[in-house]
Amino acid sequence: MSIIEQEREVIQKQESPQSTPVLDAWLTTVDHKKIGVLYIVMAVVFLVIGGCEALIIRLQLMYPRSTLVQPDTFNGLFTMHGTTMVFFVGMPILIGIGNYLVPLMIGARDMAFPRLNAFGFWATLFGGLLVYFSFVAGGAPTIGWFAYAPLTERTFSRGSATDFWALGLLVSGVGTLTAGINFIASILGMRSPGMTLRKIPFFAWTMLWTSVLLLFAMPPLTASLVMVLLDRNLGTHFFDVQNGGSAVLWQHLFWFFGHPEVYILILPVFGMISEIIPVFSRKVLFGYEFMAAATAAIAFISMGVWAHHMFTIGMSRVLDLYFAVASLLVSIPTGIKLFNWLATMYGGRIYLASPMLFAIGFLSMFVIGGLTGIMLAIVPFDFQLTDSYFVVGHFHWVLIGGTLFGTFAGIHYWYPKVTGRMLSERIAAWQFWLLYIGFILTFGPMHVAGMLGMPRRIYTYEPGMGWELWNQLSTVGAIIQAPSFVLFVYNLIASAWWGKPAGDNPWNAWTLEWATTSPPPVYNFETLPIVHSRRPLWDLAHPDDPDWKYE
């Protein structure tokens, strides 16, 4: 018996139900694939919770002078919805997908630090539970997900809710940082033989730069959360304006995290789309080198645009000009990506399976979200519409139209690899169109309401302001979206049991994760693959016309 066969036998015994109960196996696992699934399941649960909070918010705003919920309840829902979707849905689901796929894509057997990987997940989950424990400890925080000072000071936020919010984000931030460290170490140090940085799959490349952003963006948020806790509990005055503190300091620290966070949530999606479009267009990704350079450029430039959220706070004209130029500059590498995706599709044999359907939905939505972002980078225009519902529409158009549509594309693409079964294409089509139509109807009218003067973060409004129709359309759109998420969850669960068997490579894709069985074995690869090009499976299938001849 060979060493590999002996190792496989030992692993199978360790993973068998007779030796380890299923629950214990999941709770104590250090396998990157199981940890990735745990991240995704956690994010889907929080997605349902955050979606319910959003639906209540929209129902409250459907009519003027509505009393569906009380003002403090509304503010608590508003705070928890934003916090949940950014910290406990967006980042965990992308880290989870990366956890599952990156070692497979680079030909490794696991992440660089498996135990640290497991610690990162449990820290993130515990942080989310801490934040939601505020409901039990007297009510949710009413400070908004942005927690602007001095709202977080004890004078304006009594009780322990804000403390649980800050502690929860501190703990989950530690988990997120460990994930970033792990991805960087794994991608730079554990690639299979022959896989240079110029040959890694594009999703792995975007995860690398996402992790770099995490290492730079999370510490300022962590430091500012510590300051909030010190202000509230030990009598310091970092953000206490009445005692010499600065509310503007919080904004600088928060948005120094908050703007790179947008790219932390979108760069992995760019990577997913860059894997999906070539496969379903049956063409090589157009301009790989330009796309790779654009990713690095986005990461660098995004660290220098944070104060475009702060044009109206009274910065100097020089600073306003700098942040306006930087905000416009970051659109250039993003535009490069868009045109490269379109060039990849142009002339291809496009196959509209569910992953490609969501990918095209992503392209159409992200363009509109990006254009409204360019509008808000123009300082005089931003002066008129800052803190209005126009900004709410733009923000959601980027993060839902971008992150969510792209993530759904990725889940529908790689679900067969994880489970060995296909998702229902019929249910996926219903999910897509309900989400697409509901999304446009929800967030399109918000732009109009903002242009008509509707401020964001309001509990109710008076009749006769001209906002009623637009709020009613937005609420109807949210109601249309709700069944799409129900269908999504149902499709995930039902297809795992009754879905059509997928085979090892149902999409006839080209990257290394499809070289293993579906689902992959615990050890991923019996022998580490040797890579000669960016499409190793193409090289195997076409030895007479391999990619490496053209690189």
Side-chain angles (χ1 to χ4, degrees), residues 8-263:
R8 185 192 310 170
E9 185 177 338
V10 169
I11 292 172
Q12 287 173 346
K13 286 180 179 178
Q14 291 173 345
E15 295 291 324
S16 66
Q18 290 80 9
S19 61
T20 307
V22 173
L23 183 59
D24 286 355
W26 282 90
L27 293 178
T28 61
T29 187
V30 294
D31 179 9
H32 72 96
K33 296 181 290 297
K34 286 186 176 178
I35 292 170
V37 172
L38 288 171
Y39 266 114
I40 294 167
V41 170
M42 182 194 84
V44 170
V45 171
F46 276 114
L47 174 64
V48 172
I49 295 170
C52 292
E53 291 164 346
L55 194 57
I56 296 172
I57 291 170
R58 285 308 327 157
L59 290 171
Q60 165 64 22
L61 291 172
M62 189 170 187
Y63 298 106
R65 296 180 181 173
S66 174
T67 56
L68 177 66
V69 295
Q70 295 303 306
D72 278 349
T73 304
F74 180 90
N75 289 337
L77 290 169
F78 166 70
T79 301
M80 298 302 285
H81 168 69
T83 302
T84 299
M85 299 304 281
V86 171
F87 293 98
F88 304 118
V89 176
M91 286 199 288
I93 202 167
L94 296 172
I95 290 172
I97 294 172
N99 244 294
Y100 198 101
L101 293 174
V102 165
L104 291 167
M105 284 185 159
I106 64 175
R109 289 201 170 99
D110 208 324
M111 297 286 279
F113 308 112
R115 288 177 176 82
L116 187 67
N117 198 24
F119 170 78
F121 166 73
W122 293 110
T124 304
L125 177 59
F126 183 60
L129 296 177
L130 262 180
V131 169
Y132 270 85
F133 188 74
S134 60
F135 279 105
V136 182
T142 57
I143 54 177
W145 81 276
F146 43 83
Y148 278 173
L151 291 177
T152 51
E153 296 299 311
R154 186 72 69 180
T155 305
F156 303 101
S157 181
R158 300 186 181 276
S160 57
T162 301
D163 298 296
F164 280 112
W165 177 86
L167 282 170
L169 294 190
L170 268 173
V171 173
S172 67
V174 171
T176 303
L177 274 172
T178 63
I181 293 168
N182 224 340
F183 280 123
I184 291 173
S186 301
I187 295 169
L188 293 183
M190 298 186 67
R191 301 187 306 277
S192 61
M195 184 177 283
T196 64
L197 282 176
R198 293 183 66 252
K199 295 176 183 175
I200 64 173
F202 207 83
F203 177 70
W205 178 253
T206 56
M207 286 303 301
L208 174 64
W209 285 102
T210 299
S211 301
V212 171
L213 284 177
L214 283 173
L215 293 191
F216 281 95
M218 292 304 296
L221 177 65
T222 302
S224 55
L225 290 169
V226 171
M227 293 181 197
V228 167
L229 290 170
L230 291 174
D231 274 14
R232 291 179 56 80
N233 297 288
L234 292 181
T236 59
H237 305 294
F238 290 107
F239 309 120
D240 184 357
V241 179
Q242 295 177 339
N243 289 286
S246 172
V248 173
L249 173 62
W250 167 266
Q251 291 196 36
H252 277 291
L253 290 171
F254 181 81
W255 289 119
F256 191 79
F257 152 80
H259 195 78
E261 170 67 8
V262 174
Y263 293 96

Side-chain angles (χ1 to χ4, degrees), residues 58 62 438 441-442 471-482:
R58 285 308 327 157
M62 189 170 187
L441 198 55
T442 300
N471 277 288
Q472 288 163 11
L473 289 173
S474 289
T475 302
V476 170
I479 293 170
I480 292 173
Q481 284 187 72

Side-chain angles (χ1 to χ4, degrees), residues 433-548:
W433 288 112
L434 285 170
L435 181 61
Y436 195 83
I437 294 168
F439 174 89
I440 293 172
L441 198 55
T442 300
F443 300 108
M446 289 184 183
H447 293 80
V448 181
M451 295 284 283
L452 294 175
M454 182 176 176
R456 64 196 299 189
R457 308 163 189 152
I458 59 169
Y459 154 72
T460 190
Y461 53 94
E462 293 296 314
M465 304 289 290
W467 306 337
E468 292 95 328
L469 173 63
W470 308 109
N471 277 288
Q472 288 163 11
L473 289 173
S474 289
T475 302
V476 170
I479 293 170
I480 292 173
Q481 284 187 72
S484 74
F485 294 102
V486 175
L487 289 173
F488 170 66
V489 174
Y490 172 79
N491 204 4
L492 289 180
I493 297 170
S495 296
W497 295 99
W498 303 296
K500 176 185 174 184
D504 293 341
N505 188 3
W507 309 120
N508 195 21
W510 304 310
T511 42
L512 283 181
E513 75 273 21
W514 300 104
T516 66
T517 59
S518 298
V522 175
Y523 46 84
N524 291 351
F525 302 95
E526 288 191 359
T527 58
L528 295 183
I530 298 175
V531 173
H532 299 287
S533 75
R534 297 185 190 122
R535 298 196 300 170
L537 298 194
W538 172 275
D539 294 345
L540 286 175
H542 302 84
D544 56 330
D545 187 30
D547 264 9
W548 56 264

